[in-house]
Amino acid sequence: MFTITAIVPTYHRPKDLTRCLEALHRQTRPADEVLVVVRDTDSDTWTLFKEFNYEPLKLRTLTVTVPGVVAALNVALHEAKGDIITVTDDDAAPHSDWFERIEKYYLSDERIGAVGGRDWVYWQNKLLDDGTSEVVGQIQWFGRVVGKHHIGVGKAREVDVLKGVNMSFRRSAIASIGFDERMRGTGAQVHFEMALCLALKRADWKIVYDPEITVDHYPALRFDEDKRDRLNETAIRNSVHNETLVLLEHLSPVRRIVFMMWAILVGTQEALGFVQWLRFLPSEGSLAGKKWFASVGGRWQGWLTWQASQNRSPAKMIVSQ
């Protein structure tokens, strides 16, 4: 049997965190330790731990002084003792068989390095009806990232990328990699999980997505520049920077060129290229222009960060096929 460490980064969400910890307490296969990572300035959460007793959870609190989920996860990874490292958000509630289902995969195949599943999204306490998809967690040949983890259906299968709210890792697979500290942002640091998953894939580890491994996800207020309900140009630049950096680092030379051409000329509705700007211009006007400008800036900054990384350590230019 393996030992399991559950990691929960949190910031100013004591009510959400309480729901998450209660869900971890109800697991049919208990965690061997639960690590909650709290920002040093988060007085609301520190007060929560003074007032409530979460026994019999084998819970430890860890302090982080650097903003962003990456720093919090790396602090916890350094302290974790489990053979399996699970990660969920403080605004999520894993289903009662979460640990049990995850553990079975690692027991079944020693080449599995990561396992994740579906998050059932509840927006304003109503289940989000966003359809279904059998294509989940894939990087298309030209670099477009397909997520859709929250609507995945079908059998368990290998994927390229997991979602941060519902993922786990074999500790021996990620111990020497860690979470990429080049990710920009002061909170969510969008695409941080893609950086780790693609590093695992190029090291020849299997990554499994099973829609039966589930958490309920209640997207909560974010206390950084990446708000869920409003435009922030800095958040767009950070997200596009992170995506660009990760893909440039893991795509082959030909696919890098194709990706940058597609990203600049076409793009997506989250990271606008020229065609997407034209698409949204009639309905959004100057707002579309701001999104496009921020997206182009993020692409450029991601390219510069990637170039700087290659110049510092050319020996690490490992390419995925």
Side-chain angles (χ1 to χ4, degrees):
M1 299 292 289
F2 288 117
T3 53
I4 296 179
T5 295
I7 297 176
V8 184
T10 189
Y11 186 58
H12 282 304
R13 295 172 175 174
K15 291 182 179 179
D16 293 291
L17 177 62
T18 297
R19 178 180 56 219
C20 179
L21 294 178
E22 288 174 348
L24 295 181
H25 172 63
R26 293 192 294 268
Q27 294 292 306
T28 56
R29 193 283 192 210
D32 296 278
E33 65 173 350
V34 177
L35 304 181
V36 179
V37 192
V38 187
R39 189 90 61 85
D40 58 338
T41 57
D42 185 358
S43 57
D44 294 337
T45 304
W46 288 117
T47 299
L48 176 72
F49 284 114
K50 290 178 183 178
E51 295 177 349
F52 290 90
N53 184 353
Y54 289 99
E55 292 182 359
L57 279 179
K58 298 176 182 178
L59 187 148
R60 283 195 291 150
T61 56
L62 303 175
T63 304
V64 64
T65 59
V66 178
V69 68
V70 168
L73 290 172
N74 279 333
V75 165
L77 183 60
H78 179 74
E79 294 291 327
K81 297 179 173 62
D83 302 307
I84 300 169
I85 308 296
T86 70
V87 179
T88 192
D89 294 346
D90 55 4
D91 60 359
H95 290 196
S96 60
D97 57 356
W98 194 55
F99 292 138
E100 183 179 350
R101 287 182 179 272
I102 286 172
E103 185 179 35
K104 286 179 180 178
Y105 277 100
Y106 293 104
L107 289 169
S108 69
D109 187 345
E110 64 181 10
R111 293 307 305 161
I112 291 178
V115 176
R118 181 171 180 169
D119 60 314
W120 291 87
V121 178
Y122 290 82
W123 186 250
Q124 297 179 343
N125 291 322
K126 293 183 179 180
L127 182 63
L128 183 65
D129 183 8
D130 217 6
T132 60
S133 178
E134 293 193 6
V135 180
V136 171
Q138 297 293 324
I139 311 293
Q140 296 179 312
W141 69 272
F142 54 91
R144 181 170 178 255
V145 182
V146 179
K148 300 186 178 180
H149 300 82
H150 68 298
I151 56 174
V153 295
K155 296 181 179 179
R157 63 272 202 184
E158 288 190 47
V159 296
D160 297 323
V161 181
L162 298 175
K163 189 174 181 178
V165 71
N166 185 357
M167 62 184 185
S168 69
F169 303 94
R170 190 182 297 268
R171 188 171 182 271
S172 59
I174 67 168
S176 62
I177 301 174
F179 294 89
D180 195 332
E181 295 180 350
R182 297 171 300 170
M183 298 290 100
R184 291 188 179 177
T186 59
Q189 295 181 281
V190 179
H191 300 303
F192 79 92
E193 58 269 81
M194 182 165 67
L196 180 54
C197 286
L198 293 187
L200 286 175
K201 282 190 72 71
R202 75 182 189 186
D204 204 29
W205 290 98
K206 296 178 182 179
I207 299 175
V208 175
Y209 172 87
D210 183 348
E212 295 299 318
I213 296 174
T214 50
V215 305
D216 291 331
H217 189 190
Y218 306 87
L221 180 67
R222 287 175 172 171
F223 296 91
D224 65 347
E225 68 279 351
D226 188 13
K227 307 300 183 186
R228 300 185 191 274
D229 58 349
R230 72 194 72 162
L231 170 71
N232 185 288
E233 294 167 66
T234 299
I236 293 174
R237 280 193 297 271
N238 288 341
S239 173
V240 177
H241 165 275
N242 295 347
E243 179 190 63
T244 304
L245 169 61
V246 173
L247 291 174
L248 288 175
E249 195 155 82
H250 294 279
L251 295 176
S252 67
V254 172
R255 291 177 71 192
R256 285 182 197 138
I257 295 171
V258 173
F259 162 65
M260 288 303 290
M261 291 176 61
W262 167 80
I264 293 169
L265 293 176
V266 183
T268 66
Q269 63 182 5
E270 291 82 22
L272 272 61
F274 182 73
V275 172
Q276 292 286 0
W277 169 66
L278 289 177
R279 174 191 172 196
F280 287 104
L281 182 60
S283 60
E284 296 187 353
S286 62
L287 180 62
K290 291 179 181 179
K291 291 179 180 179
W292 180 40
F293 188 75
S295 299
V296 172
R299 295 292 181 206
W300 174 243
Q301 291 170 7
W303 172 270
L304 292 177
T305 302
W306 175 70
Q307 283 287 320
S309 299
Q310 304 314 298
N311 293 336
R312 283 198 301 269
S313 53
K316 293 186 178 180
M317 294 177 63
I318 305 171
V319 175
S320 63
Q321 299 301 316

